[in-house]
Amino acid sequence: MQFIPVDINHFTYSLPDLRIAKFPVKDRDKSKLLIYRNGEIKDDQFSSLPNLIREKVFVFNNTKVIKARLLFKRLTGATIEVFCLEPISPIDYQEMFSSTKCVEWKCLVGNLKKWKEEKLVMPLVIGDIKIVLEATRTKILEEGLIVKFSWESCSICFGQILEAAGAIPIPPYLNRHEEAIDETRYQTVYSKWEGSVAAPTAGLHFTKEVINRLKDGGSKIMELTLHVGAGTFKPVKAASISEHTMHTEHFFVPVETLKVLKANIGNIVAVGTTSVRTLESLYWLGIRLLNKGNKNGEFHLNQWEAYDMQNNISAEVAIEQIIAYCENLGLSHFDGSTQIMISPGYHFQMVNALVTNFHQPRSTLLLLISAFIGEDWEKVYQHAMDNGYRFLSYGDSSLLIPTACE
């Protein structure tokens, strides 16, 4: 597989602000569904999905969006926003949220020029316990800061603090403040593990009823977790995609899911681009295990690494390497991180069909769609634009099947 240095200017389209869905439809599964199958396009409603595709393995990203935006008020009246991106210490998400000691996060800070004193403070009442949350800058990064959060109550954990004081970080292109509806509708009905600062939005259309009907139609529902970072909104500013630095996202996949994937290669439907990134990364990490082993116990896939590897090994063999690794160490799930760039020229190894929303112009997500269905992405997006589809996070959905998946 060879990387093709594409020009990002070939992956754009006109997106008027009025076509961006500012709020979700009343019922999750009443959004529109564009079906692209073998080059043909049809229109339907999302609730019809179980009638359109049966006896498949659907892979969901069960990450949960955290209330990552903390607003500190200064005595002068200025507001400083501290946006928690990813944990630094402790680095494990669950340890972070359960910590009752000081913690450190990589953060973006809004109105940074107003942060002149050493600490920001926020008085809080959680239950009947009064605390003062303090934020201290500890290190300046190329993009953002490392911020230490501290408080004096050992009975309050950081997860409770975010829940009490934080705000849901809805996408910036909505151009509005978060509202009560975002508390529930910017989460999937199957969200479990806290850690994302953006929702895996392809999953926002699913209801428990739709999921049950998929099961009734013979499909299997499997889950993995990839914590979505703010980098998902990062535009490609370089003319060539080869000059763009892809963001890193952390994932973990239960061994049970790995075993079902191995037994169903060629039959896999990814729900969302985050599931795609995880599934495809599993293949390449399995190939690396087969060829080089692993001595340090850490698994990270670099941005262009997949394009430098041989891909003449089956997905079954690659996934078996990861299963064996986990079982040899008594692990219940496989942990890793990925920076994979999926763009035109990429050969998909794991994913056969994709449920996804309509993405921003000049974005890495649009490049992924182009890699999946080729130049037909333009036909799909033009059809959506011509037929009243709503775009981006709260917008409508599509089912993309580039080859027969019957």
Side-chain angles (χ1 to χ4, degrees):
M1 184 171 67
Q2 186 175 7
F3 170 68
I4 301 174
V6 298
D7 185 341
I8 192 61
N9 293 311
H10 296 156
F11 299 89
T12 190
Y13 65 96
S14 177
L15 178 58
D17 185 67
L18 60 84
R19 301 306 297 275
I20 298 173
K22 301 300 175 67
F23 292 90
V25 294
K26 181 180 179 182
D27 300 312
R28 290 177 184 265
D29 61 355
K30 296 303 186 291
S31 55
K32 297 178 72 172
L33 177 67
L34 182 152
I35 304 106
Y36 170 89
R37 191 190 300 259
N38 297 327
E40 299 296 323
I41 297 175
K42 294 182 179 179
D43 301 308
D44 212 317
Q45 188 177 77
F46 194 85
S47 58
S48 299
L49 182 67
N51 303 327
L52 300 170
I53 188 165
R54 303 167 68 86
E55 298 183 347
K56 305 301 173 187
V57 174
F58 281 77
V59 182
F60 292 83
N61 180 5
N62 62 13
T63 188
K64 189 172 186 177
V65 182
I66 61 173
K67 294 184 176 181
R69 295 175 59 242
L70 293 167
L71 302 178
F72 289 83
K73 296 282 188 181
R74 294 191 60 215
L75 293 177
T76 59
T79 298
I80 298 174
E81 176 183 324
V82 181
F83 187 174
C84 298
L85 293 179
E86 59 182 274
I88 299 298
S89 177
I91 195 168
D92 179 83
Y93 280 88
Q94 299 313 308
E95 287 184 27
M96 168 65 72
F97 295 126
S98 62
S99 177
T100 56
K101 302 177 181 178
C102 62
V103 298
E104 288 187 307
W105 281 76
K106 177 182 177 182
C107 299
L108 295 178
V109 177
N111 210 9
L112 179 59
K113 63 183 180 180
K114 297 292 186 178
W115 190 348
K116 295 179 180 179
E117 64 270 30
E118 181 182 357
K119 294 180 180 179
L120 298 176
V121 297
M122 182 190 300
L124 294 171
V125 179
I126 301 177
D128 58 355
I129 300 175
K130 295 181 179 181
I131 67 169
V132 175
L133 176 66
E134 297 182 346
T136 307
R137 296 187 296 181
T138 62
K139 186 177 181 180
I140 299 175
L141 305 174
E142 185 175 339
E143 292 187 356
L145 304 172
I146 293 179
V147 177
K148 181 174 75 172
F149 297 100
S150 55
W151 60 101
E152 293 185 350
S153 174
C154 62
S155 62
I156 298 295
C157 64
F158 191 66
Q160 290 174 289
I161 290 173
L162 285 183
E163 185 63 28
I168 289 287
I170 58 174
Y173 47 66
L174 295 185
N175 290 320
R176 64 173 176 83
H177 294 295
E178 70 281 353
E179 298 187 17
I181 192 172
D182 300 310
E183 293 270 345
T184 54
R185 294 300 299 277
Y186 199 59
Q187 302 279 13
T188 64
V189 298
Y190 48 82
S191 63
K192 292 179 181 176
W193 301 107
E194 293 181 322
S196 283
V197 298
T201 54
L204 298 181
H205 308 275
F206 285 86
T207 62
K208 291 181 179 179
E209 180 188 5
V210 168
I211 292 173
N212 287 335
R213 287 172 54 216
L214 287 171
K215 293 177 181 178
D216 292 341
S219 291
K220 295 181 180 179
I221 305 299
M222 305 308 298
E223 296 182 357
L224 50 76
T225 308
L226 178 140
H227 291 313
V228 188
T232 191
F233 300 122
K234 184 178 180 181
V236 179
K237 295 182 179 179
S240 174
I241 193 62
S242 61
E243 299 171 9
H244 177 77
T245 301
M246 194 68 178
H247 57 286
T248 295
E249 292 172 315
H250 300 269
F251 65 82
F252 60 92
V253 185
V255 172
E256 176 190 3
T257 295
L258 292 169
K259 290 180 177 179
V260 172
L261 293 174
K262 176 177 176 286
N264 289 275
I265 298 299
N267 223 15
I268 296 172
V269 181
V271 177
T273 56
T274 59
S275 294
V276 173
R277 283 167 54 77
T278 307
L279 291 167
E280 294 298 314
S281 297
L282 287 173
Y283 173 82
W284 299 109
L285 291 172
I287 297 300
R288 188 203 291 167
L289 260 178
L290 179 65
N291 293 333
K292 299 181 180 180
N294 183 276
K295 295 181 181 180
N296 61 13
E298 296 180 359
F299 292 90
H300 173 73
L301 188 70
N302 291 318
Q303 180 166 338
W304 307 115
E305 192 173 352
Y307 298 89
D308 296 328
M309 289 193 204
Q310 297 277 336
N311 63 330
N312 57 356
I313 297 171
S314 72
E316 288 91 346
V317 170
I319 299 304
E320 177 56 38
Q321 301 305 307
I322 299 178
I323 293 171
Y325 173 84
C326 292
E327 291 184 337
N328 288 340
L329 294 178
L331 303 175
S332 62
H333 61 270
F334 178 72
D335 283 300
S337 61
T338 183
Q339 198 182 1
I340 190 171
M341 171 71 78
I342 298 179
S343 63
Y346 180 86
H347 297 164
F348 287 83
Q349 307 295 326
M350 298 287 294
V351 178
N352 309 106
L354 170 61
V355 176
T356 188
N357 286 12
F358 297 94
H359 305 292
Q360 294 185 83
R362 297 176 61 91
S363 66
T364 58
L365 301 183
L366 190 58
L367 289 170
L368 185 153
I369 299 305
S370 176
F372 196 61
I373 62 174
E375 294 181 358
D376 275 359
W377 79 264
E378 294 182 88
K379 182 169 69 173
V380 166
Y381 273 62
Q382 189 60 55
H383 181 93
M385 192 64 68
D386 292 342
N387 288 272
Y389 281 75
R390 303 161 78 240
F391 282 64
L392 307 187
S393 295
Y394 275 143
D396 294 312
S397 185
S398 66
L399 170 62
L400 307 179
I401 308 175
T403 57
C405 187
E406 307 298 338

